[in-house]
Amino acid sequence: MTEAVYVETQGCQMNEYDADRMVDVLVSEAGFRRVDAPEQADLLLLNTCSVREKAQEKVFSQLGRWRRLKDRAPETLIGVGGCVASQEGDAILRRAPYVDLVFGPQTLHRLPEMVARRRAGGGPQVDVAFPEIEKFDRLPEPRATGPTAYVSVMEGCSKYCSFCVVPYTRGEEISRPVADVLAEVEALAAQGVREVTLLGQNVNAYAGRLRDGSAGDLGLLIEAVAAVPGIDRIRFTTSHPAEFHAGLVEAYREVPELADFLHLPVQAGSDLLLRLMKRGHDTAAYEALVAELRAARPSLALATDLIVGFPGETEEHFTETMALIDRVGFDAGAFSFIYSPRPGTPAAALHDPTPQAAKRERLHRLQARIAEQQAAAAQRLLGTVQSVLVEGVSRRSAAELRGRTSCNRVVNFPGDPALVGRFAEVRISGVRTHSLRGELEAVEQPAAAGAAATGA
Ligand code: SAM
Ligand code: F3S
C-alpha cells in the first residue's frame, strides 16, 4: 500500500510552487500518492506563510485540527514547512509537540529522508538550514498539471525592506543557472505547457550563470525561454522597482511572448515612508519606470502591492498614496494590506501611534479606488478581441471554457473542451466583477502550436 500525503499551503505563489515540489519529491523518492482529504493521509504537510501576523496565527489552529486526526490514527505524521517553520524552527515543537517534521523552504527536498528517520523511531525531525541551491539539484522533474506552470528561477531576497520577514525566512538571493531553468521549461513544454510564470521573491534580481560562466539576467532568460518551442506566453513575478534593468524594459518591446502584464509592488506613495521602508526607490523613480514600460508596451496592465498604516503614516502620507494611485493607474489591481509588525524586522521597533480603526478606514478607501480602476480597465476591454490561453472548463458551467488574457484577466466563453491548452481569439462581450465573458472568434490550429491563429 502506498502512503498518502495531503498538503495545505498558505501565502504566495512561491509557496504554491514549493507545495507541489514537496509532493513531487515524496511521490518519486518515497512512493507516496497525493490525496485531497486530510482524513485519508498518512502524512499531513502544512506549508506556512509568515508575511503577516494573521497568516502566522492560522498555523497553530490548523495544527490543532490535525492533532485530532492524529489522536484517532497515531501513525499519522504531521510536518510543518514554509516561512513560519523557517523562522520558528524547533520552537514549533514546544508549542505543538505532536508535530513530527519541521522543514524550511530550502530543505523541502530532504522530506523523504526526514520521513524515513522519523518512521525509524528517530524522534521529531527539524531541518531549516539554507543549503544554497541544493534543493533544485535534488528535485525531480516537475509534472505539468495543465497548460500553465510555475518555474522557480531564484530564491530568497537580499533587499531587506524594513517591514518584511522574507530575507530572514528564505535567505539571501540565489539564482538557478540558465541551463537548468531552460531544461525545466523544455520538460514542461514537452508535456503540453504553453505558458510559464518565472518565479522569484525578487525575480528581477535574477543572475543565473550562463554556459560561459558569466551572469545572465532576467531579460536574457525571458528571451531564451521565449525561444523554447511550444512556450508562447511568459509571465514573471514578483519584481522590485529598484532593480528593473533596461534589458527587462527592452524585453517588453522585443519579446512578443512576454505577457501584457506586470506586478510591480510600490508599497506607498510617500517618499518619506518609502525611505523608512528601505525600499531603495522614491515615487519619481517608480513613475519614471512605469512611463518607460508603457512606452515599450502600450497595452501593459499594471498590478501592485500596497501597505496601509506603516508606522508613522499620517493622513497626509496616505493622501500621497491615493494621489500616486490616481497618477499611475493600477488597471490590473493591487494586493493591499494593513501593515503587520513582524518580529525581528527593523520596522517592528518604530513608533506606531495610528489607531487600527483609522488604518482599516484608509484600507477601505484605497481598495475602493483600486476597484474603480480595475472596473474601468475591464470596460475598456469590451468589444476587443483578446488572445486567451484556454486553461480548462469553466467553474460555473461545463459547457463553457475558462482562460486568461495576456493582461491576466479570466475570461469565460462557450466552447469545446478540446480547445484546452490552445490559444483562442475571444471577443470580450461582458464584464463581471472578477471575470470577463466572451465569444470565440478563432482558434490556433493544433499542429501549428505557436503559430498565428487562423479561422475557427
Ligand atoms: N518582492 C516584492 C517587492 O518588491 O516588494 C515583495 C514580496 S513580499 C513577500 C509580498 C508583499 O507582502 C509585499 O509587497 C508587501 O506589500 C507585503 N508585506 C510584506 N511584509 C508585510 C508586512 N509586515 N505587513 C504588511 N504587508 C507586508
Ligand atoms: Fe520583502 Fe522587500 Fe524582499 S518586500 S521579499 S524584502 S523586496
Side-chain angles (χ1 to χ4, degrees):
M1 246 307 262
T2 59
E3 289 199 282
V5 56
Y6 173 84
V7 188
E8 185 146 322
T9 192
Q10 309 173 331
C12 62
Q13 285 133 323
M14 204 75 158
N15 261 13
E16 285 174 33
Y17 177 87
D18 281 350
D20 288 340
R21 300 295 76 78
M22 291 171 200
V23 174
D24 284 353
V25 77
L26 286 163
V27 168
S28 76
E29 286 181 28
F32 273 81
R33 68 197 151 85
R34 187 177 200 158
V35 289
D36 294 331
E39 299 76 25
Q40 296 166 0
D42 305 291
L43 172 61
L44 294 160
L45 296 178
L46 183 59
N47 192 24
T48 60
C49 169
S50 60
V51 81
R52 282 171 294 274
E53 195 181 356
K54 226 183 195 147
Q56 189 147 3
E57 278 166 9
K58 284 193 213 151
V59 171
F60 289 96
S61 50
Q62 180 60 58
L63 290 177
R65 281 194 288 278
W66 284 357
R67 178 192 197 160
R68 289 198 288 278
L69 293 178
K70 191 170 170 136
D71 285 345
R72 287 205 295 273
E75 289 300 302
T76 310
L77 296 185
I78 297 180
V80 182
C83 288
V84 176
S86 171
Q87 214 169 10
E88 305 278 319
D90 46 18
I92 300 230
L93 298 177
R94 286 199 285 282
R95 205 164 146 192
Y98 48 90
V99 165
D100 300 282
L101 318 167
V102 179
F103 55 98
Q106 312 299 357
T107 48
L108 60 91
H109 57 286
R110 296 179 181 167
L111 268 172
E113 291 114 87
M114 294 175 77
V115 170
R117 277 201 297 270
R118 179 63 176 137
R119 287 267 190 247
Q125 304 288 309
V126 180
D127 185 353
V128 293
F130 292 149
E132 297 279 297
I133 208 81
E134 172 193 307
K135 166 175 161 184
F136 290 110
D137 296 336
R138 286 274 315 273
L139 287 171
E141 209 167 76
R143 281 164 303 120
T145 51
T148 64
Y150 291 133
V151 175
S152 177
V153 303
M154 57 86 69
E155 286 268 328
C157 181
S158 310
K159 292 287 159 296
Y160 294 93
C161 299
S162 65
F163 52 82
C164 185
V165 288
V166 168
Y168 311 97
T169 59
R170 285 187 172 263
E172 294 256 321
E173 288 159 5
I174 174 140
S175 299
R176 296 174 73 189
V178 172
D180 290 14
V181 175
L182 287 179
E184 185 165 327
V185 173
E186 281 160 9
L188 289 165
Q191 297 172 64
V193 166
R194 306 297 306 277
E195 170 184 312
V196 290
T197 300
L198 307 177
L199 274 186
Q201 219 45 257
N202 185 18
V203 71
N204 47 329
Y206 176 78
R209 225 177 339 99
L210 294 162
R211 282 192 208 282
D212 66 5
S214 63
D217 62 35
L218 190 62
L220 280 176
L221 184 69
I222 287 170
E223 277 178 35
V225 170
V228 173
I231 300 298
D232 288 302
R233 192 176 272 171
I234 302 168
R235 304 180 189 276
F236 61 91
T237 201
T238 312
S239 31
H240 190 293
E243 265 182 319
F244 215 100
H245 306 299
L248 196 48
V249 178
E250 260 329 281
Y252 275 102
R253 207 185 304 275
E254 305 286 335
V255 184
E257 288 85 354
L258 186 56
D260 285 345
F261 175 79
L262 176 63
H263 183 176
L264 191 63
V266 65
Q267 314 298 358
S270 144
D271 287 334
L272 174 71
L273 290 188
L274 289 176
R275 252 198 321 280
L276 291 173
M277 290 176 172
K278 295 212 165 49
R279 287 291 289 174
H281 64 84
D282 57 13
T283 51
Y286 185 89
E287 291 180 71
L289 174 59
V290 169
E292 266 183 69
L293 283 159
R294 285 184 168 147
R297 181 70 73 88
S299 49
L300 188 74
L302 193 65
T304 198
D305 290 351
L306 292 155
I307 293 180
V308 172
F310 186 79
E313 183 191 79
T314 61
E315 187 57 33
E316 286 68 38
H317 297 135
F318 178 70
T319 308
E320 289 182 67
T321 298
M322 293 294 274
L324 177 99
I325 293 170
D326 288 345
R327 290 197 303 276
V328 174
F330 294 107
D331 35 13
F335 292 99
S336 51
F337 292 97
I338 291 179
Y339 166 73
S340 169
R342 305 287 54 224
T345 60
L350 295 174
H351 181 52
D352 186 7
T354 312
Q356 266 319 97
K359 294 185 180 186
R360 275 198 296 274
E361 187 276 328
R362 284 177 198 164
L363 183 69
H364 287 148
R365 261 190 285 159
L366 179 147
Q367 288 179 335
R369 186 70 57 86
I370 296 279
E372 274 168 29
Q373 292 189 340
Q374 254 186 305
Q379 288 296 334
R380 288 196 292 276
L381 292 175
L382 258 183
T384 64
V385 175
Q386 299 287 320
S387 168
V388 171
L389 174 57
V390 185
E391 293 179 12
V393 171
S394 159
R395 292 199 180 98
R396 284 207 202 133
S397 151
E400 297 214 340
L401 301 176
R402 172 179 50 82
R404 264 181 313 146
T405 64
S406 178
C407 62
N408 213 28
R409 298 262 180 178
V410 172
V411 187
N412 292 297
F413 59 99
D416 182 344
L419 298 185
V420 172
R422 284 158 67 182
F423 282 89
E425 300 288 302
V426 177
R427 187 174 295 280
I428 306 305
S429 57
V431 173
R432 301 244 166 94
T433 318
H434 299 294
S435 64
L436 303 171
R437 287 204 50 74
E439 302 297 331
L440 186 60
E441 293 244 319
V443 282
E444 166 199 55
Q445 297 308 306
T454 49

